[in-house]
């Protein structure tokens, strides 16, 4: 299934804006969420084709939200790519164990992001 609609989850308005502009240039439709809890709700209501998930957020971290999305019957088919400043190998391994399909570190490289999205579609 081609990826067209992407849920961007980040507590930083700047990061949400940068990612949405980057993706819009490539024809993707973006939905925004500023918290992990909002992301879980929007994953269920909006049915995006992909979730780009930040890890460090105030209410619940992106690892917990990824686990919730990838293990819920209603949303487990939606792939998650973690986009975070956490660049340790242990973070990457933990993120993938929570159900993420891929892991990007910030600042996100546009070409790398599009390549990873294309590989999922």
């Amino acid at each position: 299934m081609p990826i067209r609609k992407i849920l961007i989850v980040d507590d930083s308005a700047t990061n949400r804006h940068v990612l949405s502009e980057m993706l819009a240039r490539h024809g993707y439709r973006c939905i925004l969420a500023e918290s992990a809890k909002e992301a879980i709700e929007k994953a269920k209501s909006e049915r995006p084709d992909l979730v780009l998930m930040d890890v460090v957020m105030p209410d619940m971290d992106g690892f917990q939200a990824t686990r919730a999305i990838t293990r819920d019957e209603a949303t487990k088919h939606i792939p998650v790519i973690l986009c975070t400043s956490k660049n340790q190998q242990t973070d990457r391994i933990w993120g993938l164990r929570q159900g993420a399909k891929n892991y990007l570190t910030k600042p996100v490289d546009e070409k790398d992001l599009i390549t990873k999205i294309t590989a999922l579609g």
Side-chain angles (χ1 to χ4, degrees):
M1 177 179 83
I3 292 173
R4 292 191 181 97
K5 183 165 59 167
I6 299 175
L7 173 58
I8 298 170
V9 186
D10 200 306
D11 58 325
S12 160
T14 302
N15 287 339
R16 287 192 309 272
H17 176 75
V18 167
L19 284 170
S20 63
E21 289 290 310
M22 205 181 279
L23 292 166
R25 282 195 291 272
H26 295 273
Y28 296 105
R29 197 171 129 237
C30 299
I31 306 160
L32 307 177
E34 57 187 69
S35 73
K37 289 178 181 172
E38 183 184 359
I40 293 167
E41 291 168 15
K42 285 195 173 179
K44 290 177 183 177
S45 65
E46 298 277 347
R47 303 284 189 196
D49 301 316
L50 171 67
V51 177
L52 293 181
M53 179 78 70
D54 184 23
V55 171
V56 182
M57 293 183 282
D59 61 344
M60 170 192 286
D61 71 36
F63 293 136
Q64 294 167 304
T66 297
R67 188 168 53 243
I69 290 169
T70 60
R71 296 191 181 161
D72 186 305
E73 277 302 315
T75 55
K76 69 181 186 181
H77 65 283
I78 304 169
V80 177
I81 295 177
L82 292 167
C83 289
T84 179
S85 56
K86 294 174 76 62
N87 63 359
Q88 297 295 314
Q89 186 63 23
T90 52
D91 296 318
R92 181 179 298 272
I93 291 166
W94 184 246
L96 296 173
R97 288 187 66 198
Q98 303 316 299
K101 298 291 183 204
N102 220 315
Y103 194 101
L104 288 166
T105 52
K106 294 177 186 172
V108 173
D109 176 74
E110 185 168 341
K111 186 174 181 246
D112 194 23
L113 173 62
I114 300 305
T115 298
K116 287 181 178 5
I117 292 171
T118 305
L120 289 171

